[in-house]
Amino acid sequence: MGNELIKNGKIKYLILSLLLFATIVFCICLGSVNIPLADVFNAFVNRLKGLEPKGPYESIIIHVRTPRVLSVALVGMALSLSGAVMQGLLKNPLADGSTLGVSTGASLGAVLAIVLGIRFTALPFAGTMIMAIIFAFLSLIFVLSLSYKLDYSLSTNTIILMGIIFSMFVNSLISLLLVFSGDNIKSIIFWSMGSLQGSTYENVIVLLIAVIIFSIIIISKSDELNAFALGEEIASNLGVDTKKIKLILLITSSALIGITVSVGGTIGFVGLVIPHITRLITGPNHMKLLPSSMFIGSSFLMVADLVARTMFKPLELPIGVVTSLIGSVLFVYIFSKNRMVR
C-alpha cells in the first residue's frame, strides 16, 4: 500500500514536470511571431555551442522570449507557494498576498524606491527589490496586528477586511506618488498593473535563487503547517514552536512576494486560486500541496502571460489584468463547488 502511494506520488510529479516543460516550450514558440519548434531547438543547440544568435528568430528566442518565459514561470511558482503558505498558516481560504495587502505594500515600497531614486551601482534593481521586501513584510505585520487589536480571535472576516482596507489606503498613497512622480509615471503604472515585459536573465537568476532558497525553507516546515491546520493550540501541544514557525513562514512568504513584485509588479489571484485548484488534486497535506502548487502556478501564469501578449497582438495586455479576469472566474467556480459539496 505504501509503495503504491509513493509510486502514485512520483507519477503525479512526473506528470506535473512534463506539463511544466511542455508549457515552457509552448510559450517560447508562440507569441506575436510564431516560431517553429525545430527553430527553437536549433537556437538552443547553437547557444550551447557558444554561437551568437543568427537571424531574427534566434535573437527573439534567446534574448526576448526565454528570459521572459522563465521569469514568468518562477514568479508563478513564488506566488503560488506564498499563497499556499498563508492559507495554511492563517487557516484562511481567502488569504494571499493581494487580499492581505502584502502585494500592494510591496508595490508601495517599489514605487518609493523609484521616486526616491534608491539604487545600487552593482545591482541597479536591488534598491527596488529591497524596498519591496521590507514593505511586504511590514504590511503583513501591520494588517495582522491591526486585526488582532480589533478582534482577538483573528477571524477570517476581520483579517480580510483589514487587508482590503489597507490595500485601498496604500493604493491611494501610490496614486498620490503618481502625481509627483514626473518622468517615473510609466514605471509606477507598470508596478500597479503587473507585467513581465522586458525581463532579463539577471531577473531569472535572482528569482531562481529566491525560489530555491525559500521553497526549501518553506517545504521543510510542511509538517508544522499540517499541525497548524489542527489549530494553533493543538500545534503547540504537539511540540511546534508556533511563534518561531509563524515568523519564519511570514518572513519567507513576504520576501518571495516582495521579490516577485520588484520584478513583475502586482499580479493578483495566482496565490489565491492555485492552492485551491491544487488541493483538489493532492489533498490538504502540505508536503504534497506546496511543491504541486509551484508546478501548477508556474504553468498557469505562463499561459496567462501568453494570452496577455497574443490576444490583441501586437497590443500587449498587462499580465495582472489577465490573471484577475481568469482568476476571479475560477475562484467563483471553486467557491460555489465547495459550497455545493457541503
Side-chain angles (χ1 to χ4, degrees):
M1 184 68 179
N3 289 335
E4 190 176 335
L5 287 173
I6 293 170
K7 187 179 176 183
N8 288 338
K10 286 181 178 177
I11 291 173
K12 279 184 182 177
Y13 285 123
L14 179 63
I15 293 171
L16 290 173
S17 301
L18 291 174
L19 173 68
L20 181 66
F21 179 74
T23 311
I24 290 173
V25 174
F26 186 67
C27 291
I28 290 175
C29 289
L30 300 183
S32 55
V33 177
N34 295 331
I35 301 172
L37 181 60
D39 289 345
V40 173
F41 178 75
N42 288 333
F44 284 118
V45 170
N46 289 336
R47 193 62 179 166
L48 288 173
K49 289 179 180 175
L51 302 174
E52 285 299 314
K54 298 174 186 174
Y57 279 3
E58 287 198 12
S59 185
I60 290 172
I61 293 165
I62 299 299
H63 295 308
V64 180
R65 286 201 188 155
T66 301
R68 175 170 182 158
V69 170
L70 293 179
S71 293
V72 173
L74 291 164
V75 167
M77 283 186 176
L79 291 176
S80 305
L81 182 63
S82 301
V85 169
M86 288 184 177
Q87 288 172 13
L89 195 63
L90 302 175
K91 291 181 64 181
N92 187 331
L94 295 176
D96 97 312
S98 54
T99 56
L100 294 180
V102 182
S103 297
T104 45
S107 293
L108 178 61
V111 169
L112 275 173
I114 293 169
V115 172
L116 298 175
I118 299 174
R119 297 169 66 88
F120 298 97
T121 308
L123 288 170
F125 54 85
T128 310
M129 187 173 292
I130 291 170
M131 287 288 282
I133 293 171
I134 292 172
F135 273 71
F137 181 67
L138 291 178
S139 300
L140 183 60
I141 296 298
F142 179 76
V143 169
L144 292 178
S145 301
L146 189 60
S147 302
Y148 183 72
K149 286 279 184 186
L150 298 173
D151 178 4
Y152 289 131
S153 66
L154 276 177
S155 69
T156 297
N157 290 341
T158 305
I159 294 174
I160 298 300
L161 184 62
M162 288 302 106
I164 291 171
I165 292 172
F166 178 76
S167 293
M168 293 169 70
F169 174 72
V170 170
N171 278 328
S172 67
L173 290 179
I174 293 174
S175 299
L176 187 64
L177 288 169
L178 206 61
V179 175
F180 300 101
S181 58
D183 295 336
N184 293 317
I185 190 166
K186 284 185 179 178
S187 299
I188 295 177
I189 291 174
F190 164 82
W191 298 112
S192 64
M193 299 179 75
S195 172
L196 284 141
Q197 188 179 24
S199 296
T200 63
Y201 285 108
E202 285 79 11
N203 296 141
V204 174
I205 291 169
V206 169
L207 285 166
L208 182 63
I209 292 171
V211 167
I212 290 174
I213 292 174
F214 292 126
S215 64
I216 289 173
I217 295 172
I218 290 171
I219 293 172
S220 72
K221 306 299 178 192
S222 296
D223 289 339
E224 287 83 349
L225 275 171
N226 288 336
F228 268 98
L230 303 173
E232 197 166 326
E233 190 175 335
I234 295 176
S236 182
N237 292 335
L238 290 172
V240 176
D241 188 342
T242 53
K243 287 184 180 177
K244 181 183 172 185
I245 297 298
K246 259 187 176 181
L247 189 62
I248 291 172
L249 292 176
L250 288 177
I251 289 174
T252 48
S253 54
S254 299
L256 270 178
I257 291 173
I259 291 168
T260 58
V261 168
S262 71
V263 174
T266 306
I267 302 172
F269 275 97
V270 180
L272 182 63
V273 173
I274 297 303
H276 288 288
I277 294 174
T278 310
R279 274 190 204 92
L280 298 175
I281 301 169
T282 65
N285 187 337
H286 286 86
M287 185 60 79
K288 298 175 182 175
L289 174 66
L290 297 176
S292 299
S293 290
M294 294 172 70
F295 281 105
I296 296 173
S298 179
S299 300
F300 169 79
L301 198 60
M302 281 190 283
V303 173
D305 184 58
L306 180 62
V307 172
R309 56 191 166 90
T310 57
M311 180 175 277
F312 298 108
K313 61 182 181 182
L315 181 68
E316 184 172 317
L317 297 174
I319 191 172
V321 173
V322 177
T323 57
S324 296
L325 287 171
I326 299 173
S328 56
V329 174
L330 279 174
F331 186 75
V332 169
Y333 171 74
I334 294 165
F335 188 72
S336 61
K337 191 176 179 182
N338 287 341
R339 295 276 293 181
M340 287 171 68
V341 169
R342 289 176 189 174

CSV table of all heavy atoms in Angstrom, one decimal, residues 33-57:
chain,number,residue,atom,x,y,z
A,33,VAL,N,5.0,36.7,-33.0
A,33,VAL,CA,5.5,35.9,-34.2
A,33,VAL,C,5.6,34.4,-33.7
A,33,VAL,O,6.3,34.2,-32.7
A,33,VAL,CB,6.9,36.4,-34.6
A,33,VAL,CG1,7.4,35.5,-35.7
A,33,VAL,CG2,6.9,37.9,-35.0
A,34,ASN,N,5.0,33.5,-34.4
A,34,ASN,CA,5.0,32.1,-34.1
A,34,ASN,C,6.3,31.5,-34.7
A,34,ASN,O,6.6,31.7,-35.9
A,34,ASN,CB,3.8,31.4,-34.5
A,34,ASN,CG,2.5,31.9,-33.8
A,34,ASN,OD1,2.6,32.3,-32.7
A,34,ASN,ND2,1.4,31.8,-34.5
A,35,ILE,N,7.0,30.8,-33.8
A,35,ILE,CA,8.3,30.2,-34.3
A,35,ILE,C,8.2,28.7,-34.2
A,35,ILE,O,7.8,28.1,-33.2
A,35,ILE,CB,9.5,30.7,-33.4
A,35,ILE,CG1,9.5,32.2,-33.4
A,35,ILE,CG2,10.8,30.1,-33.8
A,35,ILE,CD1,10.5,32.8,-32.5
A,36,PRO,N,8.6,28.0,-35.3
A,36,PRO,CA,8.6,26.5,-35.3
A,36,PRO,C,9.4,25.9,-34.2
A,36,PRO,O,10.5,26.5,-33.9
A,36,PRO,CB,9.1,26.1,-36.7
A,36,PRO,CG,8.9,27.4,-37.6
A,36,PRO,CD,9.0,28.5,-36.6
A,37,LEU,N,9.0,24.8,-33.7
A,37,LEU,CA,9.7,24.1,-32.6
A,37,LEU,C,11.2,23.7,-33.0
A,37,LEU,O,12.1,23.8,-32.2
A,37,LEU,CB,9.0,22.8,-32.3
A,37,LEU,CG,9.5,22.0,-31.1
A,37,LEU,CD1,9.6,22.8,-29.8
A,37,LEU,CD2,8.7,20.7,-30.9
A,38,ALA,N,11.4,23.3,-34.3
A,38,ALA,CA,12.7,23.0,-34.8
A,38,ALA,C,13.7,24.2,-34.7
A,38,ALA,O,14.8,24.0,-34.3
A,38,ALA,CB,12.6,22.5,-36.2
A,39,ASP,N,13.1,25.4,-35.0
A,39,ASP,CA,14.0,26.6,-34.9
A,39,ASP,C,14.3,26.9,-33.5
A,39,ASP,O,15.5,27.4,-33.2
A,39,ASP,CB,13.3,27.8,-35.5
A,39,ASP,CG,13.2,27.7,-37.0
A,39,ASP,OD1,13.9,26.8,-37.6
A,39,ASP,OD2,12.4,28.4,-37.7
A,40,VAL,N,13.4,26.7,-32.5
A,40,VAL,CA,13.7,26.9,-31.1
A,40,VAL,C,14.8,25.9,-30.7
A,40,VAL,O,15.7,26.3,-30.0
A,40,VAL,CB,12.4,26.7,-30.3
A,40,VAL,CG1,12.7,26.7,-28.8
A,40,VAL,CG2,11.3,27.7,-30.6
A,41,PHE,N,14.6,24.7,-31.1
A,41,PHE,CA,15.6,23.6,-30.7
A,41,PHE,C,17.0,24.0,-31.2
A,41,PHE,O,18.0,24.0,-30.5
A,41,PHE,CB,15.2,22.3,-31.2
A,41,PHE,CG,16.1,21.2,-31.0
A,41,PHE,CD1,16.2,20.6,-29.7
A,41,PHE,CD2,17.0,20.7,-32.0
A,41,PHE,CE1,17.1,19.6,-29.4
A,41,PHE,CE2,17.9,19.7,-31.7
A,41,PHE,CZ,17.9,19.1,-30.4
A,42,ASN,N,17.1,24.4,-32.5
A,42,ASN,CA,18.4,24.8,-33.1
A,42,ASN,C,19.0,26.0,-32.4
A,42,ASN,O,20.2,26.1,-32.3
A,42,ASN,CB,18.1,25.1,-34.6
A,42,ASN,CG,17.9,23.9,-35.4
A,42,ASN,OD1,18.3,22.8,-35.0
A,42,ASN,ND2,17.1,24.0,-36.5
A,43,ALA,N,18.1,27.0,-32.0
A,43,ALA,CA,18.6,28.2,-31.3
A,43,ALA,C,19.3,27.8,-30.0
A,43,ALA,O,20.4,28.3,-29.7
A,43,ALA,CB,17.5,29.1,-31.1
A,44,PHE,N,18.7,26.9,-29.3
A,44,PHE,CA,19.4,26.5,-28.0
A,44,PHE,C,20.6,25.6,-28.2
A,44,PHE,O,21.6,25.8,-27.5
A,44,PHE,CB,18.4,25.7,-27.2
A,44,PHE,CG,17.3,26.6,-26.5
A,44,PHE,CD1,16.0,26.4,-26.8
A,44,PHE,CD2,17.7,27.5,-25.6
A,44,PHE,CE1,15.1,27.3,-26.2
A,44,PHE,CE2,16.8,28.4,-25.0
A,44,PHE,CZ,15.5,28.2,-25.3
A,45,VAL,N,20.6,24.8,-29.3
A,45,VAL,CA,21.8,24.0,-29.6
A,45,VAL,C,23.0,24.9,-30.0
A,45,VAL,O,24.1,24.7,-29.5
A,45,VAL,CB,21.5,23.0,-30.7
A,45,VAL,CG1,22.8,22.3,-31.2
A,45,VAL,CG2,20.5,21.9,-30.3
A,46,ASN,N,22.7,25.9,-30.8
A,46,ASN,CA,23.7,26.9,-31.2
A,46,ASN,C,24.2,27.6,-30.1
A,46,ASN,O,25.4,27.9,-30.0
A,46,ASN,CB,23.2,27.8,-32.3
A,46,ASN,CG,22.9,27.1,-33.6
A,46,ASN,OD1,23.6,26.1,-33.9
A,46,ASN,ND2,22.0,27.7,-34.4
A,47,ARG,N,23.3,28.0,-29.1
A,47,ARG,CA,23.7,28.7,-28.0
A,47,ARG,C,24.7,27.9,-27.1
A,47,ARG,O,25.6,28.4,-26.5
A,47,ARG,CB,22.5,29.2,-27.2
A,47,ARG,CG,22.8,30.2,-26.1
A,47,ARG,CD,23.3,31.5,-26.7
A,47,ARG,NE,23.5,32.6,-25.7
A,47,ARG,CZ,24.2,33.6,-26.0
A,47,ARG,NH1,24.7,33.8,-27.2
A,47,ARG,NH2,24.4,34.6,-25.1
A,48,LEU,N,24.3,26.6,-26.9
A,48,LEU,CA,25.2,25.7,-26.1
A,48,LEU,C,26.5,25.5,-26.8
A,48,LEU,O,27.5,25.3,-26.1
A,48,LEU,CB,24.5,24.4,-26.0
A,48,LEU,CG,23.2,24.3,-25.1
A,48,LEU,CD1,22.5,23.0,-25.1
A,48,LEU,CD2,23.6,24.7,-23.6
A,49,LYS,N,26.6,25.7,-28.1
A,49,LYS,CA,27.9,25.6,-28.8
A,49,LYS,C,28.7,26.9,-28.7
A,49,LYS,O,29.8,27.0,-29.2
A,49,LYS,CB,27.7,25.2,-30.3
A,49,LYS,CG,27.2,23.8,-30.5
A,49,LYS,CD,26.9,23.6,-32.0
A,49,LYS,CE,26.4,22.2,-32.3
A,49,LYS,NZ,26.1,22.0,-33.7
A,50,GLY,N,28.1,27.9,-28.1
A,50,GLY,CA,28.7,29.2,-27.9
A,50,GLY,C,28.6,30.1,-29.1
A,50,GLY,O,29.3,31.1,-29.2
A,51,LEU,N,27.7,29.8,-30.0
A,51,LEU,CA,27.5,30.6,-31.2
A,51,LEU,C,26.5,31.7,-30.9
A,51,LEU,O,25.5,31.5,-30.2
A,51,LEU,CB,26.9,29.7,-32.4
A,51,LEU,CG,27.8,28.6,-32.8
A,51,LEU,CD1,27.1,27.7,-33.8
A,51,LEU,CD2,29.1,29.1,-33.4
A,52,GLU,N,26.7,32.9,-31.5
A,52,GLU,CA,25.8,34.0,-31.3
A,52,GLU,C,24.5,33.8,-32.1
A,52,GLU,O,24.6,33.1,-33.1
A,52,GLU,CB,26.5,35.3,-31.8
A,52,GLU,CG,27.5,35.9,-30.8
A,52,GLU,CD,26.9,36.2,-29.5
A,52,GLU,OE1,25.9,36.8,-29.4
A,52,GLU,OE2,27.6,35.8,-28.5
A,53,PRO,N,23.4,34.3,-31.6
A,53,PRO,CA,22.1,34.1,-32.4
A,53,PRO,C,22.2,34.6,-33.8
A,53,PRO,O,22.7,35.7,-34.1
A,53,PRO,CB,21.1,34.9,-31.6
A,53,PRO,CG,21.7,35.0,-30.2
A,53,PRO,CD,23.2,35.0,-30.4
A,54,LYS,N,21.7,33.7,-34.7
A,54,LYS,CA,21.7,34.1,-36.1
A,54,LYS,C,20.2,34.4,-36.6
A,54,LYS,O,19.3,33.6,-36.3
A,54,LYS,CB,22.2,33.0,-37.0
A,54,LYS,CG,23.7,32.6,-36.7
A,54,LYS,CD,24.0,31.4,-37.5
A,54,LYS,CE,25.4,30.9,-37.1
A,54,LYS,NZ,25.8,29.6,-37.8
A,55,GLY,N,20.0,35.5,-37.2
A,55,GLY,CA,18.7,35.8,-37.8
A,55,GLY,C,17.7,36.3,-36.7
A,55,GLY,O,18.0,36.2,-35.5
A,56,PRO,N,16.6,36.8,-37.1
A,56,PRO,CA,15.6,37.4,-36.1
A,56,PRO,C,15.0,36.4,-35.2
A,56,PRO,O,14.8,36.7,-34.0
A,56,PRO,CB,14.6,38.0,-37.0
A,56,PRO,CG,14.7,37.3,-38.4
A,56,PRO,CD,16.1,36.9,-38.5
A,57,TYR,N,14.7,35.1,-35.7
A,57,TYR,CA,14.1,34.1,-34.8
A,57,TYR,C,14.9,33.8,-33.6
A,57,TYR,O,14.5,33.8,-32.5
A,57,TYR,CB,13.8,32.9,-35.6
A,57,TYR,CG,12.5,32.9,-36.5
A,57,TYR,CD1,11.8,34.1,-36.5
A,57,TYR,CD2,12.1,31.8,-37.2
A,57,TYR,CE1,10.6,34.1,-37.3
A,57,TYR,CE2,11.0,31.9,-38.0
A,57,TYR,CZ,10.2,33.0,-38.0
A,57,TYR,OH,9.1,33.1,-38.8
